[in-house]
Amino acid sequence: MAKRGRPCSFDRDDALRRALDVFWDMGYEGATMTALKDAMGGICAPSVYAAYGSKEALFRSALALYHAQESEALWQGLETSPVRDAMAGLLRTAALRYSTPGKPPGCLVDLSTLNFSPANKAIETTLHDLRVDVARTLEARLCRAREDGELGTLADPVAVAAFYTTVLQGLSIQARDGASRERLLAIVDSAITAWDCLVGN
């Protein structure tokens, strides 16, 4: 009787970090299982499925890791006052993190792809909801700022949030297209210059 091969073993945390980079660089649908397995140290397919269940489950684990490593740092200063400083800090942090050497440029959530095949509708919905949450988070912060008298009485928090959400997403795309850190920070400076006009101050 032929002997069974030894089961594949691997460092699950390290493998997940490597998988995150593949999804971040190639998008969800662009990241093939072959590319993922190779990046994760050439581990065997049964071990991947035993550890994560499916490509979708692996992506969701990678997305959670991305949130812990990248998103929390991006948003932690949003409650800073005045709100103009909070918004400037958010955009500058995004510009820096989207252009970090040694990491894929841009934002995983924005760049994982906007067009999915019907089979991947659940992932498409998850990423869509995360993008919507960005605008809602900014809206809530701006509404509090208006209540505190930091914005003009005619300021529209929804419109201002939509503007700066668009800037965030644009920074991500610019970073992926090769814009330098200096160029991204210049975009941020221009966006903040528009603040007084947008909020009616």
Side-chain angles (χ1 to χ4, degrees), residues 70-144:
E70 305 293 331
S71 298
E72 289 182 2
L74 181 64
W75 293 96
Q76 64 185 5
L78 190 60
E79 296 306 316
T80 301
S81 292
V83 67
R84 184 184 187 279
D85 291 348
M87 195 66 66
L90 171 67
L91 295 178
R92 290 194 178 103
T93 300
L96 295 175
R97 298 193 79 85
Y98 292 171
S99 57
T100 300
K103 292 186 177 181
C107 170
L108 169 67
V109 175
D110 291 334
L111 298 173
S112 283
T113 195
L114 299 179
N115 297 309
F116 282 81
S117 62
N120 294 318
K121 185 66 177 179
I123 292 294
E124 179 182 21
T125 299
T126 294
L127 295 173
H128 168 269
D129 290 347
L130 288 172
R131 289 190 292 269
V132 170
D133 283 346
V134 169
R136 288 176 176 167
T137 299
L138 294 183
E139 287 172 21
R141 178 66 182 91
L142 290 163
C143 284
R144 291 195 299 275

Side-chain angles (χ1 to χ4, degrees), residues 56-77:
E56 178 180 336
L58 175 59
F59 178 76
R60 291 185 183 279
S61 294
L63 193 59
L65 178 61
Y66 178 83
H67 176 73
Q69 290 186 343
E70 305 293 331
S71 298
E72 289 182 2
L74 181 64
W75 293 96
Q76 64 185 5

Side-chain angles (χ1 to χ4, degrees), residues 18-19 22 32-46 48-49 58:
R18 293 170 181 268
V22 175
T32 64
M33 285 305 299
T34 297
L36 288 163
K37 288 187 296 178
D38 288 346
M40 295 165 78
I43 61 178
C44 54
V48 176
Y49 289 113
L58 175 59

